[in-house]
Every structure is written in C-alpha cells, then in structure tokens.
Amino acid sequence: MPAEPSTPRPYDLEALEFGAVRTLLTARLSSPVGRTAVEALGPCPDAAAARARHAAVETLAERLDHGRGLPLTGAIEVRSWLPGFFAGEHVVAARDLADLKRLLRVAEHCRRWLLAQPEALAAVARDAADLQDLVDELDRLVDDRGEVQDSASQRLREIRREIQQARGAVDAAVQHVLGDPQVRRALQAPDAAWRHGRPVLQVRSDSRNRVPGVQHDRSSSGQTLFIEPQNVVEMANRLSDAQAAENREINVVLADAARALRRLEREVVTAVEFVAHADLLQAKARLVREDGYTVPEVADGNDTAVLRLHGARHPLLEIDDRGRRSEQAGAAVVPLDLALGDPHHLLVVTGPNTGGKTVVLKTVGLLALMAISGVPVPADVGARVPFFAAVKADIGDEQGISQNLSTFSSHVQRIATCLAHAAGNALVLLDELGAGTDPEEGSVLGYAVLEQLVRARAFAVVTTHLGRLKEFAYQNQGADNGSMAFDGKTLAPLYRLEVGIPGNSHALDIAARVGMPERVVQRARKLLGKRDPQLDNVIEKVQVARREAEADRQRTAAKSREVASQQSELEEKLAEAVRRETWLQEEADGVVEHELRAAKAALEEHVQALENAPGKHGDRARELKQALDGLLRNAKVHRRRTSFCHGLKKGDRVFLPRWHRHAQVHKVDKVREQVTVDYGKVKMQVPFEDVSWLVPLDQS
C-alpha cells in the first residue's frame, strides 16, 4: 500500500466534516453559478484575507437585514459549454449567447452594486472588469430568449424585411385560392396549414383533382392530402429562399460573435468566477441573517492568540437533509463553551463513551476551519479564532481500513502527522489518545504525546479514558482538564463540557444501565478490587457542586432578567404618565385659547359699534379693540403655535382641529401666516390659528 505522503495536507477537511459547511452554503445560493465557488471553498492564505472575507460578510448581512441584497437574479450556468467553446470544441449557438449575456449582465449589476457599498464590500469588486460594453453588444445580437435580433446586422434586417413581404404574398395567394368555391368544397378543413415549411391546403383524398398543386404529405388515415396550390408555389419558393438566406446570415453573425468572444476569454472567465464568489458571499451572509451565525474575530496565529467559543454548535446537529436549519434539532443541541490559549493551550477531556467527547473535537475543529475560511460560525457573538496554519485531527478508523492497517497503527500514523504540524499556530485534535493497545504502554505513549504538544505550544484538544493522562494537566503548565458532564444518579450523559476537572468513565455503571447481566457487572466490580475511591468521590462531588452552582447561576440570571423586565415596564409606565400629563397640560392650554377666542368674538361686535362714537368714547373703544387683538397674540399658546408653524416644511403632517383630521403640508407662507395643505384631492389654505402643534392622545 502507498505510504503516507511526505508533505501531507495541513488541513483535515474530510475528517472534520467540512462537507457539512458546503452543504449549508449550497442550500443558500441564489443561482447554480455559485456551486463551483462553494466546492472550492477552503482556508484563506492568511489572517488578513480571512478578516477581509468576514468583513464583507458582516457588511452584506447588515444590508440583508434591510432587504437589500446582491442583484443575482437571472444568473444562468454557462460553464457546461464555455470551456469547450474557448478550446474550439463547441460551436456557439444563439441560446448560448443569450445565457452568457444574462450572466454577464448579472456580473455587471453586482459589480456596480458592490462598488457603491462601504469599503469591505467595494473591495470585493475592485478587480472585476467593466463588461457593460460587451453586455450591450450581446444585447444587440440576441434577446433573452435566444433569438438573433434584427439589429445584429444590416443584411439580416433586410432579409427579414424580404421574408415579411414574401410571407404576405404567400398569405394573399393562399387566400385567393381559398376564395374559389370549388376548392372550398374539396377541403377537409377551411384553413391553410404549413407542412415541411410549405403552405398547404388540407384536401379530401377523393377530391384530389379539384386542387391542382404539389402534394407534400398524407394523413395517417389516408383521408387527407396536404397539397400546395400551384398558384402559390413560386411565391413560397421566394419565401423559402429568403429564409435560407436568413439562416446563412445568422451563422455569419454567430461566427463573428464567437471570434470576438474568444479574444475576451480572460475577462469572460473572470466575470463568471466573480458571480460565483458573489453568490457564495451572499450565502454566507444568509447564515448570519437567517440562521443566527456569528462573524468571528480572526487573530494572527501566534503565542498570544486565543481560541474562544461560547454557545458553539456543530452545524450538522442543526440541519436537515437539505442543509436547512431545523428548529427542532437545534433546540436539542447543548452549546459548547471553550477557551484555549488563556492561559492553557491544551485541554484533556475525559468522561464516559456516550458523553459527547468526539462531538466536542469535531465542533472545535470544524468551527476553526469555518473561521479561517471566511465563513460565519454557529456560536454566540464574541467568537475569536486564531488563524491556524494547520488543523490536524485523529478521529475514527477510516484510514486504517483503507490502508489495511490495525486500528492502533493507523492512529499512530495520524498522530505522527499531527505532531509534525504541531506549532504555536496549529490546532491538533486527538480522539481516544492511547487507545487500541496495552493500557500501560498506551498511557506512557499518550503522556509523551501530550508533552510534545505542550512544548510546541500548539492549540490542542485531546480525549482519553486513561487515568494517567487525567493527571497530566495537574503536572504540566499550559494544560487543563475537562470532562463531559454526567448525572451520577440517573447515569445519563448531559453532553456539556466542564473545564477544570477530569471526568469518570462510569464504564461499569453504564454497562449495567444498557443491559449487561447483573452478575457480570458484580463480577467485574469484584475483579476491579479495592481501589481507593477518594479521587472518584472528590471528582463526583466537584461535578455535583458545579452543576448546582450552574443551576443557581441560571436561577439568578432568570431572576435578574425578570427584575430588569419589571424595571423596564415601570419606566415605560412612568414615561407614558409624563407624556399624558404633558398632553393634558397642552390640551388645557388649547381650552384656554378656545375660551379666549370666544370672549374676543363676543366683545368685538360691541366694540366695533362704539369705534365711531364721538369724543373720548370712540378713543376708548379703539384702545379696547387693540387690547383684544393683542390678547391672543401675547398668549403662550399663540407663541407656541406660531413658532411651530414657522418651523414646518413641505411634506410634514399637521393636525387640523377644526376638521379633526391630519393633512400634509404643501407650502408655508410665513408673511401671511398661512399653510397650504393637501386636503384630500385638493389644496387648501388655512391660517396658522387653525393648525395645532399637538395631536389628540387617541391618535398619537
């Protein structure tokens, strides 16, 4: 069998199920064009490139929240024939040009849309070529249905004019023949038809001699003959000749277009790739908007970098067969909280076989690959991932089967490959370290592997059952223990990672729960002998205490949320009370103003009658009238209304108390103190005094 390559790939995409990410993205594409970009998706060349991809995704996701996405509608896959065309192996058809035109039009729309966005998105389209001239030229040649346009060439336009004239002559000649009563009596059907491109009449077989002409076909029953009338043959020949000339000219047009396109091979291929990557970009943004994924922070891979995931979920546990998120499945997933690099780079996870240790490894590895590939991750906001130059994993026995190796030998080979890549900018994931051989030898070998990982300062998560490896974290700085939570009373796994303490395997307890005969379990306990239970008891008590503390924390958090909600509700009620008090005060001012107007109106009639009185009586009346005129102008409500009306502009909405309705402002005349409003379908001028600065409470 072939040996392991001397320079193995730095990323174990298959072992970490990166195909699930491609399935997710494929389900969210807007067109088939994006599939190739999804299939080629992988880790970025460096941290800067990953950050640029994430910035574009985050910016586009914000626009999707406002209903604005990339204009990808209409993109059609053309790569089934395009490579063969450029290689000279495919003869381009009008339908091909129409499909290419639609794709290039989408490319141009996307390019312009992106360039009009913030820098993170504009950078995506900065190197894309401007192909609007090519789109316009293809639009001149073919329409979207794949028909060659009259505008494709002057000769084609002239030929089609000839075809139109010839067809009109044929139709007129046919109608002339049909006007003969003798011919009509010989017909099986009253209308002419076309057979093999020729105009024919449907003649009964027993009346063949009544219609002179060329017989082109016979019905399957033999009762109907398809005859081209003799008087139509010459005109039909002219039509046929014109149609043949049209086909020749179309071939000339297509050949010219093909030669021009081959000169633009690089631009066309680049445009197709640009649309594919734009489609992939929007699919990533949909993960954020529709599935609640998070755009992680990608840091440079170095000794100070930190891997931090909160609320992390494995994508496969949340999606259905079509790659769509399943609410039911997602609700059953227990989120993962994990931090590496601050201060521990190595985490040794122990616990029962059914506790979910392998899921932890795959979740950490897959989300790291997603982050450095520019894909959002299913985790809480604040996710941080170093840019890993390598992500290596030893999970499963598939290589041992394919290479005819023992389980232990295949594990050793993969572990050796992982150690070859172990460095401060690498992530190493090892499942069941030390398994598959003698436990004592497996323990010392596993211990040495952990020492090597710590020396290399590699980010690593390792699962094991071996007791000696549980002690490693207590004896080495840079390492920590973790365990999968397990309910000792019900013997049920809780699928939650707890960092800081090792876990028990509970092998005999689980064996008894899943059906192992009781006498076999009891014999196993006896053979186990008198083992010091102190460590196991301590671990169990610590785990119980942590679970109780977590339950208390959740209860406290729930109570805090309840208090915060009540406080918010009280603040809203207080704000509403203040608002109502303000409105009531303003309405009271309005009542006062109304009463002042009524008093002024009642007095004005009598004062006006006294204005022309002789002597001091007239002077006193005129002074009284001036006082009445200033009564409203000097009132606080009048000043407020005037200030409000002077600040109005076209398009504002105001409330008109006299008509008890809203209206839109069309114009404000500050000199004459009038407002022109759109009142239904007409424009109406109203004085400032008929405009209110407030709205009734029931309409606010």
Side-chain angles (χ1 to χ4, degrees), residues 17 55 63 73 97 126 135 164 167 174 182 222 226 311 340 416 440 474 513 527 534 596 605 642:
E17 299 169 318
R63 273 135 189 80
T73 304
L97 292 182
R126 190 142 293 139
V135 173
Q164 186 176 7
R167 187 180 295 276
V174 169
Q182 183 177 348
F226 296 92
L340 292 177
E440 185 174 351
Y474 296 121
R513 181 170 67 89
L527 291 173
Q534 183 175 1
L596 285 174
E605 181 179 354
T642 302

Side-chain angles (χ1 to χ4, degrees), residues 294-409:
T294 296
V295 174
E297 179 184 352
V298 177
D300 294 327
N302 52 45
D303 291 344
T304 62
V306 175
L307 170 65
R308 185 176 294 114
L309 298 171
H310 293 289
R313 294 96 58 198
H314 194 291
L316 270 180
L317 300 179
E318 295 188 305
I319 62 175
D320 55 24
D321 295 339
R322 298 174 298 170
R324 290 293 180 181
R325 189 172 187 273
S326 168
E327 294 292 340
Q328 183 176 2
V333 176
V334 179
L336 167 68
D337 294 337
L338 180 141
L340 292 177
D342 185 21
H344 308 293
H345 282 75
L346 170 65
L347 181 66
V348 180
V349 182
T350 52
N353 274 331
T354 57
K357 298 192 300 297
T358 302
V359 174
V360 170
L361 289 182
K362 290 188 174 183
T363 302
V364 174
L366 183 57
L367 267 61
L369 287 174
M370 293 172 71
I372 65 177
S373 300
V375 181
V377 297
D380 294 343
V381 174
R384 182 183 176 92
V385 179
F387 185 83
F388 293 118
V391 178
K392 301 298 293 181
D394 169 32
I395 303 174
D397 301 326
E398 64 280 354
Q399 291 186 10
I401 294 172
S402 63
Q403 297 179 7
N404 197 24
L405 298 173
S406 69
T407 299
F408 180 71
S409 297

